[in-house]
Amino acid sequence: MRRIIYSTMIVILLAAIVAACGGGDEEEPTPTSPPAAVSAEGGAAAVGDPGGLPAAAMQIAQERGLTPDDIRAAMMTYTPSGKWDEYLSFMSGGHSGNLIVVGVPSMRILKNIAVFTPESWQGYGYGSDESKAILDGGNVDGKEIRMGDTHHPALSETAGDYDGQFIFLNDKSNGRVAVIDLRDFETKQIVKDPNLISNHGATFVTPDTDYIIQTSQYATPFGWDYAPLSEYKEKYRGLMTLWKFDRETGRIDPAQSFSIELPPYWQDLCDAGKLASDGWVFCNSFNTEMATGGIEEGQPPFEAGVSQRDMDYMHIVDWRKAAEVYGAGDTEEINGMPVIRMDTAVAEGILYLAPEPKSPHGNDVTPDGKYIVVAGKLDPHVTVYSFAKMQQAIADKAWEADEFGIPVLNFDNVMVAQLEVGLGPLHTQFDDRGFAYTSLFLDSMVVKWSLGGDDPNGYQVADKVPVQYNIGHITMAEGDTVSPDGKYLIALNKWAVDRFTPVGPLLPQNEQLVDVSGDKMQVIYDMPLGIGEPHYAQTIKADKIQAWNAYPEVGWDPATQAPSEHAVKVGEERIERNGNTVEVFMTAVRSHFNPEHVAVKQGDHVIWHITNIESAHDATHGFQLGGLNLSLSIEPGESTTFEFDATEAGTYPYYCTEFCSALHLEMTGYMLVEP
Amino acid sequence: MRRIIYSTMIVILLAAIVAACGGGDEEEPTPTSPPAAVSAEGGAAAVGDPGGLPAAAMQIAQERGLTPDDIRAAMMTYTPSGKWDEYLSFMSGGHSGNLIVVGVPSMRILKNIAVFTPESWQGYGYGSDESKAILDGGNVDGKEIRMGDTHHPALSETAGDYDGQFIFLNDKSNGRVAVIDLRDFETKQIVKDPNLISNHGATFVTPDTDYIIQTSQYATPFGWDYAPLSEYKEKYRGLMTLWKFDRETGRIDPAQSFSIELPPYWQDLCDAGKLASDGWVFCNSFNTEMATGGIEEGQPPFEAGVSQRDMDYMHIVDWRKAAEVYGAGDTEEINGMPVIRMDTAVAEGILYLAPEPKSPHGNDVTPDGKYIVVAGKLDPHVTVYSFAKMQQAIADKAWEADEFGIPVLNFDNVMVAQLEVGLGPLHTQFDDRGFAYTSLFLDSMVVKWSLGGDDPNGYQVADKVPVQYNIGHITMAEGDTVSPDGKYLIALNKWAVDRFTPVGPLLPQNEQLVDVSGDKMQVIYDMPLGIGEPHYAQTIKADKIQAWNAYPEVGWDPATQAPSEHAVKVGEERIERNGNTVEVFMTAVRSHFNPEHVAVKQGDHVIWHITNIESAHDATHGFQLGGLNLSLSIEPGESTTFEFDATEAGTYPYYCTEFCSALHLEMTGYMLVEP
């Protein structure tokens, strides 16, 4: 007996020591090795290392070949029922046209907010007058555009910190910007820029969300009018538009918005200055060659023509001065939008350029606002600029003009340091300990490096971690604000290849959560994303957002965030006929609609109001009616309206599409269209 | 020194004993208690119990308040980078109109397959001729219906087991059925039933996928023609349609499909017989009262009127005999669909009824095919029927006719057992150890009970586990086949309420993974689902599916799963004009399109072919062109076509929307529309 206990104690002691040494240390193979290696390592490691886990758990870890690093990662990410995620990451959906809300660290998708693309589950753009009006705000040349290519979400800020009130998002392929209200996580507004048709460089906010900034990408003539490519330099132009945001109404005010004319360089990502650099905005560009492609005609293709020069131009814009010039009326109205012409921008000291290597992408201001980090896709360095040096160079007029007469500051006068970080540096974020993190597309790695201030030698590579695969942007916990949190980094990888169970030729992306709390980074979760392709994301402390559980009062119109004029009260349900127009006033409550019969005549125009009279958390009702291409989601308290012409005689059931109660299948009715 | 080691040993020994006792045992509070309790228990438990975890992991578990059950659950679900999920669960998206693919046990969304609703990321229904043709197959009265309400996916079966080749899905709100090919996880066909406009009871397959079965829900006249509700009993009818599936073409063959006329009871869920009951299909119904509602006129609302009778009717259908009768031409063509009239069905012995309590929902055949389990939402029992007894009752003609002349078998003659399981029994699945599992909507629990064969006393409740909240259907690993795997159960909960970080009034659903491998069930993962509302799901062993990494050859048309007649070969890129029609033959490869310039004249009709000439795994290219409402996803090898009228003169950039390479932003071109 004693011998048994004693030997047991020895085994446990040894196991515990091995575990303590191996657990979460960085000599262990990371769980990001290929499958085979993981199994092998895991199988081997799992026998000895996880000793001391609760008995059942230890057996499972062994059976599933989990390594000590896997176990540590599981402890960091597993989120039990009813426990809330600490952060919310808002990921652009790319060509899904939507905005995806992900809980961190569990990496679970909490919602896919419909923005530019109709979405049937949310009842967005599927019949309701309210959502149609929002989407119509983004029509192009009067044509209904019902998709988008979303790239860069921007949370509203107060004093350079996320305030959790609104989030903005761009549509690259049609040059539009959307406003989403974080009280109900719904899109409220889409605005279309009348002069540009692509806006990859969007959205970015000024430190107090006075303006939402966008730049054009692929240059066109103003209003994308026709002009042959032979007239590219003369007629094609870039633009920066400053959309005025009205926090009171929660809407962009186009009447207070304006643009700045830019050269037909392809403007790319921007970041607004903050603190030391407040009042300025910095944007990359990557076709200063003004190449126009034409592989089919034996010309160099864009991919080559656009990449000839060693240096492109950072655009340095004094947006406060631009706002003054706009306020003074020194603009030209083009297609209804006031535009500060290039010569005015130069004369007023609004616009400067600085050389930047080579085909840059990320352009990121440090938390203190003193430095701007540029990552050039085709240059293995990150280049760090000093805002103070820029101001000095401007004061000294240390510049030459480009061929459009725009001052180009001397590179050596404004650059502080160039640090070789690896192949394909793309985008940079910051932590709370003086480190910057840059994605390396070609190396498929994240590199962590120290910020050195004005000391070039202070910039040093501190760590690298491989990611799977082809990383684009990164997002860190409040990582582009004046007060980053550190802790978590998410690698927005473009290719997944072998990471997940095969689901056909179209693969999900792989969003990898990286623990950056220690000296060494560790990938702790692989999140497949099979509903879009995030380009950029912002990650906010969840408790900063004050989301509603139900609308403030029964009869609410989410489109205006105010009581609806069409709200239907209990006891006032009815059907009114006025000539050939039939107006239905309906309520919905578990588990019936009132009325349950709606009789109209073929050819009638039907206006149908529904109010969900419930206020209970999660008591949403849906509504569909066969043959109408109609789908509504009516949250607690919401009132909505749809209308249609009853063109086909017949018998049409309608019903609640949300499983709201045990008698939800019985929550139905008939619309009868009499011939 | 010795004292230190010894006391260390004692501590570890005690910790290990506590852990071994506490770990994963069922006396511990499950992680499904309310947040406060979890923190409290977790905080307390975490100090002592998880002792012996790798040092870093133990500290994290303590900081995050994980209980021993949480740790065990994390070990069961955490899936390291590059490790594949063991099962794929195909979840209907409800009123999102799509089909969601989830990996099990990690509960990560791998893909959201666009079915009835266009989806921009997948380029489905956003301009390509191929996807438009598929969606147009589901048009209603010539009207484009671009949404759906999907409920019950059905994987193709061979000998009653999933074969991993196809999956079928219904649209309740328009009475349609879709076919999805699991080689590329894409929708290939949508068919519209010309006689019914709602089909909640769909889809279900016969054991070798000869037929895909659907039933109508809310009764209407044939073809949803107009008839007042006063003529409900005379003119309104239910229908069962048997869609013939052609495995060779991978398509439904409407020309070989037919329907069976049913009474205007609201037919609901079905299950096809298998093994012992092969050749038959069993369906519930829940408005045998033939109530027609009318709360606005002082009539009992549907929720009350439909729930008056203690018994509704199970529909027992001999589908093989029905197929013979159809083959013999003993049908009537109604709106182009051959229909076996009710009197013929009765005369030919195709259709029988059996009483079933009360407003039933789930209707599930045991793996051996000998018994049918009915769960009645308003009855606390599950009712088990014997197929052998049904056959005997039919042979004995032990029936009375209902008011439509359909034989109603004597309940006591066909029922084997009634087991009280709890409030709101809804749907049943099976494991590999002789147990059935039933969801309890009102109790918010899953109940596990033993199958007793012909012995009424063999049916006993074995275990219950609470779920959060309002559980609808459940899915188990191959849980409705002839050979269930057990292991995992997923509770498809309708309400999440407090489970997740708030994201506004519209909440995600909560799909909870339950470990059923032991005697006691344990909830091991909460998966928020914020992109739809699954009603039913089927869960298949992942390695049964042979998905393609890329299309079999370059120039492939996924719509026909054959080489495309419009495929463009390298070197054959060109633009051809024929009168006012311009035809573009384009290739896409990292990182350029060819051609990069497309010049047309205002008013031209443009036909545009693009072939992705890559064959590398994950080398997908996207395509968008401003102002056109166009979004394509062109997977490796795929060839696609879109066409439009160039109505507006202008300069339109097009570009690759998939981040395919470091020079992906440079993968662009200009379409110039000359006035």
Side-chain angles (χ1 to χ4, degrees):
Chain A
M1 176 57 177
R2 163 176 283 254
R3 265 183 58 246
I4 292 165
I5 289 177
Y6 192 77
S7 57
T8 310
M9 289 161 69
I10 299 299
V11 169
I12 293 163
L13 178 57
L14 292 173
I17 290 166
V18 175
C21 301
D25 83 12
E26 294 66 24
E27 311 322 309
E28 287 292 324
T30 72
T32 55
S33 336
V38 168
S39 311
E41 296 292 350
V47 176
D49 294 12
L53 275 173
M58 177 162 67
Q59 185 185 342
I60 294 158
Q62 287 175 357
E63 289 167 359
R64 298 189 67 231
L66 301 182
T67 68
D69 278 352
D70 296 338
I71 293 169
R72 178 176 174 279
M75 293 303 103
M76 291 195 73
T77 55
Y78 181 78
T79 303
S81 185
K83 286 206 172 181
W84 292 357
D85 280 299
E86 184 180 4
Y87 290 90
L88 291 181
S89 189
F90 290 84
M91 300 183 174
S92 66
H95 41 299
S96 79
N98 293 340
L99 180 66
I100 300 157
V101 186
V102 175
V104 179
S106 75
M107 299 303 282
R108 297 173 298 184
I109 296 170
L110 294 170
K111 188 171 266 183
N112 180 24
I113 303 173
V115 183
F116 296 102
T117 308
E119 203 282 327
S120 178
W121 173 64
Q122 295 162 74
Y124 179 75
Y126 276 94
S128 79
D129 289 356
E130 298 84 358
S131 60
K132 183 178 191 309
I134 292 167
L135 283 159
D136 282 347
N139 289 352
V140 176
D141 293 330
K143 181 176 170 60
E144 288 190 357
I145 303 299
R146 294 298 188 254
M147 40 62 70
D149 182 23
T150 65
H151 277 249
H152 308 101
L155 285 153
S156 58
E157 296 182 8
T158 300
D161 232 334
Y162 302 148
D163 56 39
Q165 294 181 15
F166 299 93
I167 187 164
F168 311 98
L169 189 63
N170 71 310
D171 164 28
K172 170 176 174 175
S173 65
N174 296 283
R176 303 179 297 172
V177 169
V179 179
I180 295 123
D181 188 327
L182 293 179
R183 289 172 295 184
D184 60 1
F185 285 60
E186 288 190 1
T187 302
K188 301 305 176 187
Q189 183 183 29
I190 297 174
V191 293
K192 171 77 192 92
D193 192 306
N195 286 316
L196 59 82
I197 192 72
S198 79
N199 72 355
H200 181 258
T203 55
F204 314 96
V205 298
T206 53
D208 287 304
T209 323
D210 298 303
Y211 290 98
I212 300 144
I213 297 163
Q214 77 176 13
T215 61
S216 54
Q217 180 144 87
Y218 306 118
T220 67
F222 290 125
W224 59 100
D225 290 346
Y226 172 79
L229 285 160
S230 57
E231 301 173 0
Y232 185 86
K233 185 182 162 187
E234 298 69 31
K235 294 194 173 171
Y236 285 52
R237 286 293 177 267
L239 281 168
M240 172 183 289
T241 296
L242 285 84
W243 293 106
K244 185 81 177 84
F245 184 63
D246 180 338
R247 210 182 271 267
E248 291 309 306
T249 62
R251 300 289 184 278
I252 286 170
D253 182 358
Q256 297 296 317
S257 304
F258 64 96
S259 302
I260 303 169
E261 178 187 19
L262 300 175
Y265 310 148
W266 290 352
Q267 287 77 25
D268 199 37
L269 300 184
C270 308
D271 198 3
K274 57 189 86 161
L275 300 176
S277 51
D278 188 15
W280 293 72
V281 58
F282 313 93
C283 304
N284 288 329
S285 62
F286 68 95
N287 184 18
T288 54
E289 297 85 351
M290 296 189 281
T292 55
I295 187 173
E296 72 285 356
E297 302 150 11
Q299 303 297 322
F302 279 107
E303 62 179 314
V306 166
S307 313
Q308 295 170 66
R309 296 182 58 191
D310 287 336
M311 290 286 194
D312 288 293
Y313 291 135
M314 183 194 301
H315 293 51
I316 303 162
V317 175
D318 184 339
W319 67 261
R320 282 199 201 282
K321 186 168 287 181
E324 290 168 15
V325 169
Y326 159 68
D330 196 358
T331 57
E332 183 178 331
E333 185 155 307
I334 301 175
N335 295 314
M337 178 71 96
V339 178
I340 298 174
R341 299 307 297 249
M342 219 154 23
D343 54 359
T344 306
V346 171
E348 295 286 346
I350 291 170
L351 175 62
Y352 302 90
L353 303 173
E356 55 183 0
K358 170 177 184 176
S359 295
H361 198 60
N363 185 314
D364 302 288
V365 177
T366 55
D368 59 12
K370 292 182 178 175
Y371 305 94
I372 300 99
V373 177
V374 168
K377 290 174 297 183
L378 303 183
D379 178 88
H381 303 82
V382 286
T383 303
V384 183
Y385 297 78
S386 158
F387 178 72
K389 286 172 174 284
M390 286 179 181
Q391 293 303 299
Q392 190 59 52
I394 290 169
D396 299 343
K397 297 192 162 26
W399 66 56
E400 298 175 348
D402 79 340
E403 54 190 302
F404 294 92
I406 304 168
V408 182
L409 306 181
N410 181 305
F411 180 67
D412 295 327
N413 290 358
V414 295
M415 185 270 289
V416 173
Q418 287 193 295
L419 176 67
E420 182 163 357
V421 289
L423 297 181
L426 199 141
H427 176 237
T428 300
Q429 293 262 287
F430 306 94
D431 73 5
D432 55 337
R433 296 179 295 158
F435 291 102
Y437 301 75
T438 301
S439 52
L440 301 174
F441 180 88
L442 295 174
D443 281 343
S444 283
M445 296 187 108
V446 174
V447 56
K448 172 184 177 181
W449 51 279
S450 58
L451 291 167
D454 290 330
D455 172 14
N457 301 322
Y459 295 83
Q460 299 292 339
V461 169
D463 187 28
K464 289 188 180 186
V465 65
V467 291
Q468 288 72 33
Y469 304 93
N470 296 9
I471 180 173
H473 280 239
I474 54 181
T475 176
M476 292 183 69
E478 311 227 338
D480 61 6
T481 70
V482 295
S483 58
D485 289 2
K487 295 184 75 164
Y488 300 114
L489 178 151
I490 300 171
L492 305 176
N493 302 311
K494 299 305 179 177
W495 284 34
V497 192
D498 59 354
R499 294 294 91 183
F500 307 113
T501 310
V503 290
L506 179 62
L507 276 67
Q509 331 304 325
N510 185 15
E511 321 304 341
Q512 288 182 303
L513 182 64
V514 181
D515 168 25
V516 296
S517 60
D519 293 338
K520 298 281 288 181
M521 296 179 281
Q522 185 191 344
V523 172
I524 56 176
Y525 197 88
D526 275 32
M527 176 209 184
L529 196 75
I531 63 171
E533 186 198 10
H535 292 279
Y536 183 46
Q538 286 188 335
T539 303
I540 181 176
K541 196 81 159 44
D543 60 16
K544 283 186 171 182
I545 298 172
Q546 303 302 315
W548 288 333
N549 286 342
Y551 283 108
E553 59 186 79
V554 170
W556 195 261
D557 176 359
T560 59
Q561 295 290 41
S564 169
E565 56 179 318
H566 302 303
V568 182
K569 291 191 170 58
V570 177
E572 298 180 5
E573 301 92 345
R574 64 197 184 278
I575 300 174
E576 294 177 355
R577 171 175 290 277
N578 180 1
N580 287 341
T581 297
V582 176
E583 195 160 8
V584 179
F585 299 85
M586 174 179 277
T587 58
V589 67
R590 281 164 289 173
S591 299
H592 61 265
F593 293 106
N594 186 352
E596 291 184 316
H597 303 158
V598 174
V600 304
K601 291 194 160 42
Q602 189 170 12
D604 283 343
H605 180 68
V606 182
I607 304 171
W608 195 313
H609 313 287
I610 307 178
T611 298
N612 178 348
I613 60 174
E614 311 222 28
S615 54
H617 192 189
D618 214 352
T620 293
H621 295 292
F623 186 91
Q624 291 189 359
L625 198 162
L628 260 196
N629 204 42
L630 173 78
S631 183
L632 308 176
S633 177
I634 316 168
E635 284 85 53
E638 178 172 354
S639 185
T640 188
T641 296
F642 62 96
E643 46 196 291
F644 59 96
D645 295 319
T647 54
E648 302 288 331
T651 302
Y652 299 89
Y654 51 82
Y655 64 95
C656 176
T657 52
E658 266 278 340
F659 202 130
C660 56
S661 76
L663 292 171
H664 132 88
L665 282 178
E666 291 77 359
M667 189 168 173
T668 184
Y670 283 97
M671 177 178 77
L672 294 153
V673 182
E674 192 177 347
Chain B
M1 177 57 179
R2 163 178 283 259
R3 264 182 59 246
I4 292 166
I5 290 177
Y6 193 77
S7 55
T8 311
M9 289 161 67
I10 297 301
V11 171
I12 292 164
L13 179 56
L14 292 172
I17 290 166
V18 175
C21 303
D25 84 12
E26 295 67 22
E27 312 323 307
E28 288 294 324
T30 71
T32 54
S33 335
V38 168
S39 311
E41 296 292 351
V47 176
D49 295 13
L53 273 172
M58 177 161 69
Q59 185 184 343
I60 294 158
Q62 287 175 1
E63 289 166 0
R64 299 189 67 232
L66 302 182
T67 69
D69 278 351
D70 295 338
I71 293 169
R72 178 176 175 279
M75 293 303 103
M76 291 195 71
T77 56
Y78 182 78
T79 303
S81 185
K83 286 206 171 181
W84 292 358
D85 280 298
E86 183 180 5
Y87 290 91
L88 291 181
S89 189
F90 291 84
M91 300 183 174
S92 68
H95 41 299
S96 79
N98 293 340
L99 180 66
I100 301 158
V101 187
V102 174
V104 179
S106 75
M107 299 303 283
R108 297 173 298 184
I109 296 170
L110 294 170
K111 189 171 265 183
N112 180 23
I113 303 173
V115 183
F116 296 102
T117 308
E119 203 281 327
S120 178
W121 173 64
Q122 295 161 76
Y124 179 75
Y126 276 93
S128 78
D129 289 357
E130 297 85 358
S131 59
K132 183 180 191 307
I134 291 167
L135 283 159
D136 282 348
N139 289 352
V140 176
D141 293 330
K143 183 177 169 61
E144 288 189 357
I145 304 298
R146 293 297 187 257
M147 38 63 69
D149 182 23
T150 65
H151 277 250
H152 309 101
L155 285 154
S156 58
E157 297 182 8
T158 299
D161 232 334
Y162 303 147
D163 55 39
Q165 294 182 14
F166 300 92
I167 187 164
F168 312 98
L169 190 63
N170 71 311
D171 163 28
K172 172 176 173 175
S173 65
N174 296 283
R176 304 179 296 175
V177 169
V179 179
I180 295 123
D181 189 327
L182 293 179
R183 288 172 294 184
D184 60 0
F185 284 60
E186 289 190 0
T187 302
K188 301 305 177 186
Q189 184 183 28
I190 298 174
V191 293
K192 171 77 191 91
D193 192 306
N195 286 315
L196 59 81
I197 192 71
S198 80
N199 71 354
H200 181 259
T203 56
F204 313 96
V205 299
T206 53
D208 286 304
T209 323
D210 298 303
Y211 289 98
I212 301 144
I213 297 163
Q214 76 176 13
T215 62
S216 55
Q217 180 144 86
Y218 307 118
T220 66
F222 290 125
W224 58 99
D225 291 347
Y226 172 79
L229 285 159
S230 58
E231 300 174 2
Y232 185 87
K233 186 181 161 187
E234 298 69 30
K235 295 194 174 172
Y236 285 51
R237 287 292 179 265
L239 281 168
M240 172 184 288
T241 296
L242 286 83
W243 293 106
K244 185 80 176 86
F245 185 63
D246 181 337
R247 211 182 270 267
E248 290 310 305
T249 62
R251 299 290 184 278
I252 286 170
D253 182 358
Q256 298 296 318
S257 305
F258 64 95
S259 302
I260 303 169
E261 178 186 20
L262 299 175
Y265 309 148
W266 289 353
Q267 287 77 24
D268 200 36
L269 300 185
C270 307
D271 198 4
K274 56 189 87 161
L275 301 176
S277 52
D278 187 15
W280 293 72
V281 57
F282 314 93
C283 303
N284 288 328
S285 61
F286 68 95
N287 184 18
T288 54
E289 297 86 350
M290 295 189 282
T292 56
I295 186 172
E296 71 285 355
E297 303 149 10
Q299 302 297 323
F302 279 107
E303 62 180 313
V306 166
S307 313
Q308 295 169 67
R309 296 182 59 190
D310 287 337
M311 290 285 195
D312 289 293
Y313 292 134
M314 184 195 299
H315 294 50
I316 303 163
V317 175
D318 184 338
W319 66 261
R320 283 202 200 280
K321 187 168 287 181
E324 291 168 15
V325 169
Y326 159 69
D330 196 357
T331 57
E332 182 177 333
E333 185 154 307
I334 303 175
N335 296 312
M337 179 71 99
V339 178
I340 297 175
R341 299 307 296 249
M342 218 154 25
D343 54 359
T344 306
V346 171
E348 296 287 345
I350 291 170
L351 176 63
Y352 302 89
L353 303 173
E356 55 182 0
K358 170 178 186 175
S359 294
H361 198 60
N363 185 315
D364 303 288
V365 177
T366 55
D368 59 12
K370 292 182 178 175
Y371 305 93
I372 300 98
V373 177
V374 168
K377 290 173 297 183
L378 303 182
D379 178 87
H381 302 81
V382 287
T383 302
V384 183
Y385 298 78
S386 158
F387 178 72
K389 285 172 174 282
M390 287 178 180
Q391 293 303 300
Q392 190 59 53
I394 289 169
D396 299 344
K397 298 190 161 28
W399 65 55
E400 297 177 347
D402 78 341
E403 54 190 302
F404 295 91
I406 303 168
V408 181
L409 306 180
N410 181 305
F411 180 68
D412 296 328
N413 289 359
V414 295
M415 186 271 289
V416 174
Q418 287 193 296
L419 177 66
E420 182 164 357
V421 290
L423 298 181
L426 199 140
H427 175 237
T428 300
Q429 294 261 287
F430 306 94
D431 73 7
D432 55 336
R433 296 177 296 157
F435 291 101
Y437 300 75
T438 301
S439 53
L440 302 174
F441 180 89
L442 295 174
D443 281 343
S444 284
M445 296 186 109
V446 174
V447 56
K448 171 185 178 182
W449 50 280
S450 58
L451 292 167
D454 290 332
D455 172 15
N457 301 322
Y459 295 83
Q460 300 292 338
V461 170
D463 187 29
K464 288 189 180 186
V465 65
V467 291
Q468 289 70 33
Y469 305 91
N470 296 8
I471 180 173
H473 280 237
I474 53 180
T475 176
M476 292 183 70
E478 311 228 337
D480 61 6
T481 70
V482 295
S483 59
D485 288 2
K487 296 184 75 162
Y488 300 114
L489 178 150
I490 301 172
L492 304 176
N493 301 311
K494 299 305 179 176
W495 285 34
V497 192
D498 60 353
R499 293 294 91 182
F500 306 113
T501 309
V503 290
L506 179 61
L507 275 65
Q509 332 303 325
N510 185 15
E511 322 303 341
Q512 289 182 302
L513 182 64
V514 181
D515 168 24
V516 295
S517 60
D519 293 338
K520 299 281 289 182
M521 297 179 281
Q522 185 191 343
V523 172
I524 56 175
Y525 198 88
D526 274 33
M527 175 207 184
L529 197 76
I531 63 170
E533 185 197 11
H535 291 280
Y536 182 45
Q538 286 188 334
T539 304
I540 181 176
K541 196 81 159 43
D543 60 16
K544 282 186 171 183
I545 298 173
Q546 303 302 314
W548 288 333
N549 285 343
Y551 283 108
E553 58 185 82
V554 170
W556 194 261
D557 176 0
T560 59
Q561 296 290 42
S564 169
E565 56 179 318
H566 302 303
V568 182
K569 291 192 171 57
V570 177
E572 298 180 3
E573 301 92 346
R574 65 199 184 277
I575 300 174
E576 295 177 354
R577 171 175 289 277
N578 181 359
N580 288 339
T581 297
V582 176
E583 194 160 8
V584 180
F585 299 84
M586 175 179 277
T587 56
V589 67
R590 284 164 290 172
S591 299
H592 61 265
F593 293 106
N594 186 351
E596 291 184 314
H597 303 158
V598 174
V600 305
K601 290 194 162 41
Q602 189 170 12
D604 282 343
H605 180 68
V606 181
I607 304 172
W608 195 313
H609 312 289
I610 308 177
T611 298
N612 178 347
I613 60 174
E614 311 221 30
S615 54
H617 191 189
D618 213 352
T620 292
H621 294 291
F623 186 92
Q624 291 188 0
L625 198 163
L628 261 196
N629 204 43
L630 172 78
S631 184
L632 308 176
S633 178
I634 316 168
E635 284 84 54
E638 178 172 354
S639 185
T640 187
T641 295
F642 62 96
E643 47 196 288
F644 60 96
D645 295 319
T647 54
E648 302 289 330
T651 301
Y652 299 90
Y654 53 82
Y655 64 96
C656 175
T657 52
E658 268 274 344
F659 203 130
C660 56
S661 76
L663 291 171
H664 133 86
L665 283 177
E666 290 78 0
M667 189 168 174
T668 185
Y670 283 98
M671 176 178 77
L672 293 154
V673 182
E674 192 177 349

